[in-house]
Amino acid sequence: MLKDLTQMEEGELGIIKEFRGGIGFVRRIESLGIREGKKIKKISSQFLRGPQTIEIDNCQFAIGFGMAKKILVEVK
Amino acid sequence: MKKILLMGNPNVGKSAIFSRLTGARVVISNYPGTTVEFTQGKMKVGEEIFMVIDAPGTYTLEPTSKAEEIAVEMLKGGDTVINVVDATNLERNLYLTLQLLEREIPIVVALNMWDDTKHRGIEIDISRLEEMLGVPVVPTCGLTGEGIKKLISRVSEAKIPKFKFSSDKERWETVGKIISSVQKITHRHHSFLDNLEDFSIKPLTGIPLSFGVIYVTFWIIRFLSEGLIRYLFDPIFQNFWLPLMNKLSIFLKEGNFLHTVLIGNLVEGKISFGSSLGVLTTALYVPLAMVLPYILSFYLLLGLWEDFGYLPRLAVLVDNLMHRIGLHGYAIVSFILGLGCNVPGALAIRLLEGRREKFIAATLMAIAVPCMAQIAMIIGLVGKRGGEYVVLIFAILFLLLIIKGLILNKFLKGTSPELLLEIPPYRIPQTKAVVKKLWMRIFIFIHEAVPLVLLGIFFINLLYAFKIIEFLAKLFSPLLIGLWGVPKETISALLVGFLRKDVAVGMLAPLNLTTKELVISSTVLAVYFPCIATFFVLVRELGIKDTLKATLIMLSTALFLGTILNFFLPN
């Protein structure tokens, strides 16, 4: 099932499928190592459309809600 | 002299390696963005001396912030690059490495945090990596110094390999190929620190924890500084320095100009370190016995949290609230550093992306974030009238931060950008590193603040002697007496406040103010203008036009706030 990052549950695993954003956004997020095909784990989401925390390759990131909406993830 | 550049992702330990290579003291912490400006030092290899430059961290050579821009800009002037790579996060780090390898500049790779790879279950085949990249690769550990000698000895082997990529995709594909042939990751169990990481970032547990952290931190700072003052610093001044000053006072004779400058005015026939305002009495006592204990305690605690890696997590937790005042969570780093001293706080504004955000963060910090020197003096002076008044002042400043933030966010065009932040793993702070950093910050305080305090007291004595204070007091009396309800003599504090806020608050001591007057004048002192050192940093970071705008906001806020407080506070 395809979800965006904000829709994932705490602790849920998935694989990044697609970025729905401009080239600037994709470049910035890719330079952090957040790329298509990477395994991802949702750690937490802050209240009231706050930032989403994820883990990729043992590395954690906080991503603002709007950006997180643009990241689509395939979950089992 | 040949230049060696240290380049790499944020928070991979460039500054630690820099410090090892050059012996220079630099601030090292466990959060991205500790280095916002470059630092340079010298290193000797054989007979040749190299200039080593520690650049701010960057994820890519297409910069997204001022700090990253600086890093990329510096690449043009370098002769050799030491690319510092986080061995525990090789894949992501290699992207920048490949970008660097495409440039016409010789490179050596330092595979840093090597000691961390074992317990993380990461195995890296170094000779294979070296072969694939075509440049020397040396495992290092910046914190312990392991591998540094080897790194130095291989700098001369730095090479320019022939890499050219036509797209990002191709670059990432190459990273993938390298990773799959040099790195093996075995599964590992969640450790206690991993669990604590999750615990502190999930809102249900993380938010209460953050309140606990802040509360405990302030409690420890208070406990430590009060203890230091009561049992160490104050006794030293009373038992050793006072007798000396008494002798000098008798020798110089009261009323003499030199006596007024050096010793100050006697209070009921005695020297008062708090209110005599002499260069050798108040100007030494204020920074060393009243402020230093707080600076010491604050930076000890800050250093521990920085090295542990808590700050980025706090930034995530407060992100939502910070958006309401036109900022994002990471601006909290500026505010926290600003609590120590507004100068590093103002420098950290570089970590923010846009002009609007920088302006808001700078203005709010200058208005509502008092530095530790000022806080120490407020506690010392206002605290004597009752702790509730100290709390009142901080509550007013906090409210002001929120209200000003809401207003600026509403009236400035644009919106605040979103948070995008790497959260470092927790690391147990190392005693040696914490002490070293603490000593560095104390040294900066003593080296830069104390002379300014001396100068401030000297300067105010001159102004008194030439009756300039009297003149200005009369000139500003409609504002001071009429609007703020404070004696016109407080002008002396406002004048010194341009130089140093701690002495400025100290200037209020001899004026015999009522509690209401004291609360108003210390609050206004916090708000009306940052100290001159911060002001110059702001000019550099924001440009003169935006700084003047911010200053206008500060002055009008002070004018308005003083008047309101005068009107609403009971006598």
Side-chain angles (χ1 to χ4, degrees), chain B residues 19 24-25 28 431-441:
Chain B
S19 171
R25 296 200 190 102
I28 299 157
T431 320
K432 228 174 136 184
V434 171
V435 170
K436 200 172 159 193
K437 181 154 68 172
L438 178 63
W439 165 239
M440 224 180 88
R441 285 169 157 165

Side-chain angles (χ1 to χ4, degrees), chain B residues 4 113 137 158 175 189 225 230 244 277-278 331 338 340 353 410 444 503 516 533 562:
Chain B
I4 299 179
M113 307 207 184
V137 176
V175 169
H189 288 286
S225 0
R230 187 167 309 155
L244 232 77
L277 301 186
E353 291 90 349
K410 189 156 171 65
I444 291 174
V503 203
K516 178 181 171 179

